[in-house]
Amino acid sequence: MQLLRFMLLCFIWLVTMGAMVIMAPLGKHALIFSVLFCLGNVLMVLMVWLFPSGLTSKIALASILALGISARLIFLPYPVGNDVFRYVWEGCIQNFGFNPFNYSPLSPALAEIARGDLYAIWQQINHPEFSAAYPPVALLFFRFFAWLNPDPFFFKTAMIGFDIGVMIVLMLMIQQRGIWPSRLLLYAANPLILLYISGEGHLDIIQVFFLCLALYLILCRKSPATGFLMLGLAILSKYFALAALPFLVNAENRTKSFAVLIPLILYIPFMDAGVGIFQSLGEFGIHFHYNDSVTVLIRYLFSNHYVFISIFLLVTCLVWVYLFVHDELHSVYLALGCLLVFLPTLHPWYLVLIAPFLVFFPSRAWLYLQAAIIFTFPISAVEFN
């Protein structure tokens, strides 16, 4: 009876995910899409709660992995997000010999490329006045993917590959920590992941994959040096993962933790840009804000000084976590959560960073916030129209 009930829930959930794909893109039918997204979140929680108790751990994890992969295949036809066009562009111009930190898509030096086969891509790049802001690991992946196939759909497929990799690493961590397998559904069946990774194809999943792999290797204490190397790759995929570093270094692995610095050599191909490597990142971090929470109040109270106040408060929170939370995985989870709360820009897909941790630390607040991104959907509707 339990198994039949669970299978019925899975079927309804898959139909709901399929309906989201049919309603795509997000801004086309924002109200219906919001209802389906909320329903998907409710069904995900019910699937965890009503998961059959008679299955062995291996069978349960394999079943959830199969369900997760099936849903990701359903999202293959979903239109890619706008960011993916920049990924393709920045990968392609590297293969033409240009440093994306030196040249924005509007640069006259790239005009001939923009008018050629990449014109359809170039037209859809957001903020074309800015050069690259992504770290070297992301850019080198873009270059490799563009060399294989400079097509947005291919880039999205590659991101789904990283996403499946995250599920596999989470399976290993669940077995290592003795967590009940049904918790994997909080990632594998998460509508946020499906929409913004399997659907729109955002690069944040590269960071999440390397971060989860690093946590597994470091916390199992079998390969800490390799784990810190993976953490370095996570940081240079998207800098958010840097917040995890202080909480993973201890007396036992301090020497091996220097492996986190090895990926810095990946800056070498871009060094001719000098400080320009961080120019666009600084512009986005200081002058842009969207969907922020705490920083709205800080900006209101402290005006132009809000950046320094935000950094001070974030560091204060991280120090508190460092001093009073002694479980490494829990510390990283709280640290990354603090970082997201203090970001001046919080696009919905940034929450992908916290999703794997809900498998180990289920939180009503974070689950609500993931579902509450529906309040950003009307913006997509305006952009669509």
Side-chain angles (χ1 to χ4, degrees):
M1 185 65 181
Q2 281 185 332
L3 183 58
L4 288 174
R5 182 174 56 191
F6 177 74
M7 290 176 65
L8 178 60
L9 276 174
C10 290
F11 175 75
I12 297 172
W13 176 80
L14 284 171
V15 170
T16 303
M17 296 301 101
M20 285 172 59
V21 175
I22 293 172
M23 293 290 108
L26 171 56
K28 189 176 181 181
H29 304 285
L31 179 59
I32 299 174
F33 205 99
S34 299
V35 172
L36 293 170
F37 187 84
C38 287
L39 178 59
N41 279 275
V42 171
L43 290 170
M44 174 187 68
V45 173
L46 287 174
M47 287 159 66
V48 175
W49 186 29
L50 300 175
F51 193 83
S53 58
L55 301 178
T56 64
S57 177
K58 289 184 178 179
I59 293 176
L61 289 172
S63 301
I64 294 171
L65 178 64
L67 179 68
I69 292 174
S70 299
R72 281 149 180 81
L73 294 176
I74 288 174
F75 267 82
L76 277 176
Y78 194 98
V80 299
N82 191 254
D83 284 356
V84 179
F85 298 105
R86 179 175 280 273
Y87 307 165
V88 177
W89 171 262
E90 291 181 350
C92 286
I93 66 168
Q94 288 180 76
N95 290 325
F96 283 115
F98 293 93
N99 184 342
F101 289 118
N102 282 332
Y103 300 95
S104 76
L106 295 180
S107 172
L110 302 179
E112 187 175 344
I113 299 174
R115 289 193 298 264
D117 294 338
L118 293 176
Y119 180 69
I121 299 293
W122 178 81
Q123 276 188 309
Q124 301 183 72
I125 297 172
N126 56 14
H127 301 296
E129 68 276 14
F130 289 107
S131 58
Y134 301 120
V137 169
L139 289 175
L140 290 171
F141 270 118
F142 297 165
R143 181 174 186 171
F144 176 63
F145 297 154
W147 176 72
L148 290 175
N149 185 4
D151 178 75
F153 178 80
F154 177 76
F155 273 60
K156 183 177 86 162
T157 305
M159 300 305 170
I160 293 174
F162 281 106
D163 188 19
I164 294 171
V166 172
M167 288 194 288
I168 293 171
V169 175
L170 289 176
M171 288 171 62
L172 297 173
M173 293 179 71
I174 283 171
Q175 292 177 317
Q176 177 196 11
R177 296 178 72 91
I179 302 295
W180 182 240
S182 61
R183 297 266 195 88
L184 181 60
L185 285 163
L186 293 174
Y187 183 87
N190 194 324
L192 177 88
I193 305 293
L194 290 166
L195 174 57
Y196 290 109
I197 304 302
S198 304
E200 295 194 353
H202 291 280
L203 70 85
D204 299 66
I205 197 62
I206 301 177
Q207 171 189 225
V208 170
F209 170 74
F210 284 119
L211 176 60
C212 289
L213 187 56
L215 290 170
Y216 172 70
L217 293 172
I218 294 169
L219 298 182
C220 75
R221 291 175 170 78
K222 292 181 180 179
S223 245
T226 306
F228 280 105
L229 174 63
M230 295 300 106
L231 181 58
L233 293 175
I235 294 168
L236 294 191
S237 299
K238 199 164 187 180
Y239 296 114
F240 295 166
L242 181 61
L245 178 59
F247 304 96
L248 296 173
V249 180
N250 55 45
E252 294 179 15
N253 63 29
R254 187 171 291 115
T255 302
K256 295 178 180 179
S257 69
F258 284 100
V260 76
L261 300 176
I262 294 175
L264 289 175
I265 64 174
L266 298 177
Y267 275 109
I268 293 175
F270 308 101
M271 288 302 292
D272 63 302
V275 294
I277 288 175
F278 303 103
Q279 182 177 350
S280 293
L281 180 67
E283 290 288 332
F284 281 113
I286 296 173
H287 301 296
F288 283 70
H289 61 92
Y290 170 77
N291 196 36
D292 42 347
S293 52
V294 173
T295 49
V296 171
L297 178 61
I298 297 173
R299 191 182 302 109
Y300 175 76
L301 293 175
F302 298 99
S303 187
N304 294 334
H305 303 290
Y306 86 93
V307 173
F308 302 103
I309 300 297
S310 297
I311 293 173
F312 172 77
L313 292 175
L314 172 61
V315 171
T316 301
C317 291
L318 296 181
V319 169
W320 186 93
V321 172
Y322 187 85
L323 293 175
F324 296 105
V325 181
H326 303 297
D327 177 78
E328 293 161 308
L329 186 61
H330 197 195
S331 296
V332 172
Y333 157 62
L334 292 175
L336 294 174
C338 290
L339 175 64
L340 292 176
V341 167
F342 280 98
L343 284 177
T345 297
L346 185 64
H347 291 297
W349 52 89
Y350 288 9
L351 295 175
V352 169
L353 180 61
I354 211 72
F357 294 93
L358 299 182
V359 173
F360 309 100
F361 310 105
S363 163
R364 293 179 182 177
W366 283 112
L367 287 170
Y368 164 75
L369 185 59
Q370 288 186 353
I373 65 164
I374 61 169
F375 295 111
T376 68
F377 290 179
I379 298 173
S380 300
V382 172
E383 292 174 348
F384 180 80
N385 294 324

